[in-house]
């Protein structure tokens, strides 16, 4: 079993506290107390609370974008609908495995500040490029106007984000650790059905 470093322990505690109490409701002393480290150590690793939040978000997106790129390349021989459906499952399992951080990021990205604007340029635009290229291959044959494809892509992205923008709406589905995987699997299948119906494909039974 891989040993958790002190730096990672601080990040795990910060993620949990930011999720439960909000960024502004959490202090560096709160994080240091639960992580059993000195405040000065947090300053050494992250400079300040904002630096800690930014590290959490950047690490999340570095891994996420890398995973999407890797999976998209590995499934290159599949037809576009199958590739998109497989990616839906990969993405939702990634988000659900890190549900507290995903919910926290969803909240933070709703704000308008310099860091969010940098994230939009650096990571979210890359995510859109990766997903929209594949989404276009799937929907262009069945829509009349390019504008319709853009609107449908907005709906698609909304479905991927919705559970983490409204976490209280799905909490009844998740009662223990293993049920997070079950929720991701079942919700993935619902989004996959939407894609199949959109393209007039036979819906895979579940």
């Amino acid at each position: 079993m891989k040993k958790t470093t002190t730096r990672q322990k601080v990040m795990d505690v910060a993620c949990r506290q930011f999720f439960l109490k909000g960024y502004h409701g959490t202090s560096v002393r709160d994080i240091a107390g639960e992580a059993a480290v000195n405040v000065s150590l947090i300053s050494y690793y992250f400079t300040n609370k904002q630096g800690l939040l930014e590290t959490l978000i950047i690490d999340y997106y570095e891994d996420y974008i890398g995973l999407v790129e890797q999976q998209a390349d590995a499934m290159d021989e599949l037809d576009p609908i199958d590739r998109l459906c497989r990616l839906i499952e990969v993405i939702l399992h990634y988000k659900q495995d890190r549900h507290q951080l995903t919910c926290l990021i969803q909240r933070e990205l709703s704000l308008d500040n310099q860091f969010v604007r940098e994230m939009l340029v650096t990571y979210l635009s890359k995510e859109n490029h990766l997903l929209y290229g594949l989404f276009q291959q799937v929907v262009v044959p069945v829509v009349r106007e390019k504008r319709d494809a853009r609107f449908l892509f907005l709906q698609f992205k909304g479905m991927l984000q919705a559970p983490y923008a409204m976490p209280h709406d799905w909490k009844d589905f998740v009662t223990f650790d293993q049920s997070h995987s079950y929720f991701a699997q079942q919700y993935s299948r619902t989004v996959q059905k939407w894609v199949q119906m959109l393209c007039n494909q036979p819906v895979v039974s579940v």
Side-chain angles (χ1 to χ4, degrees):
M1 181 180 293
K2 186 177 179 180
K3 185 177 180 180
T4 301
T5 64
T6 300
R7 183 178 184 272
Q8 187 60 51
K9 182 180 178 181
V10 170
M11 291 173 66
D12 292 343
V13 169
C15 175
R16 181 165 57 252
Q17 292 215 10
F18 289 158
F19 172 73
L20 294 173
K21 300 191 293 185
Y23 174 75
H24 294 292
T26 303
S27 70
V28 173
R29 289 191 179 278
D30 293 334
I31 297 167
E34 185 178 337
V37 300
N38 293 325
V39 171
S40 60
L41 187 66
I42 294 178
S43 298
Y44 171 76
Y45 281 130
F46 308 103
T47 305
N48 52 32
K49 187 172 72 167
Q50 180 66 26
L52 179 47
L53 175 65
E54 291 178 6
T55 300
L56 283 168
I57 295 175
I58 290 170
D59 283 4
Y60 176 97
Y61 271 109
E62 285 285 342
D63 290 344
Y64 171 69
I65 295 297
L67 177 65
V68 172
E69 288 179 325
Q70 179 189 42
Q71 292 295 317
D73 288 344
M75 297 182 290
D76 192 49
E77 295 182 359
L78 297 177
D79 67 65
I81 292 179
D82 287 341
R83 288 175 69 198
L84 185 60
C85 286
R86 295 277 186 88
L87 271 181
I88 288 167
E89 189 166 359
V90 168
I91 288 169
L92 287 170
H93 274 282
Y94 181 90
K95 289 176 179 287
Q96 192 65 28
D97 286 346
R98 300 155 183 81
H99 64 280
Q100 289 189 344
L101 183 52
T102 305
C103 292
L104 169 64
I105 291 172
Q106 197 68 41
R107 287 202 306 255
E108 292 301 314
L109 292 183
S110 67
L111 305 177
D112 182 17
N113 55 46
Q114 181 63 32
F115 177 67
V116 169
R117 288 190 289 272
E118 291 172 358
M119 292 298 298
L120 289 172
V121 171
T122 306
Y123 294 109
L124 299 182
S125 61
K126 192 165 189 177
E127 178 194 31
N128 283 339
H129 174 73
L130 288 167
L131 293 181
Y132 187 60
L134 181 55
F135 190 81
Q136 271 189 309
Q137 295 177 46
V138 171
V139 302
V140 163
V142 295
V143 298
R144 294 183 178 180
E145 299 182 20
K146 186 176 181 180
R147 179 185 59 191
D148 295 331
R150 295 294 302 178
F151 286 158
L152 287 169
F153 184 66
L154 284 176
Q155 292 180 22
F156 174 68
K157 285 291 294 292
M159 284 189 285
L160 297 180
Q161 295 166 355
Y164 312 101
M166 302 177 292
H168 297 293
D169 288 351
W170 55 263
K171 64 181 181 180
D172 291 340
F173 292 97
V174 180
T175 56
F176 50 91
D177 287 345
Q178 290 83 352
S179 58
H180 281 283
S181 179
Y182 180 76
F183 172 79
Q185 182 183 41
Q186 295 303 309
Y187 187 68
S188 295
R189 290 179 178 177
T190 298
V191 180
Q192 289 165 346
K193 285 180 180 179
W194 179 83
V195 170
Q196 292 163 348
M197 289 188 292
L198 180 67
C199 299
N200 297 315
Q201 293 288 318
V203 175
V204 177
S205 60
V206 298

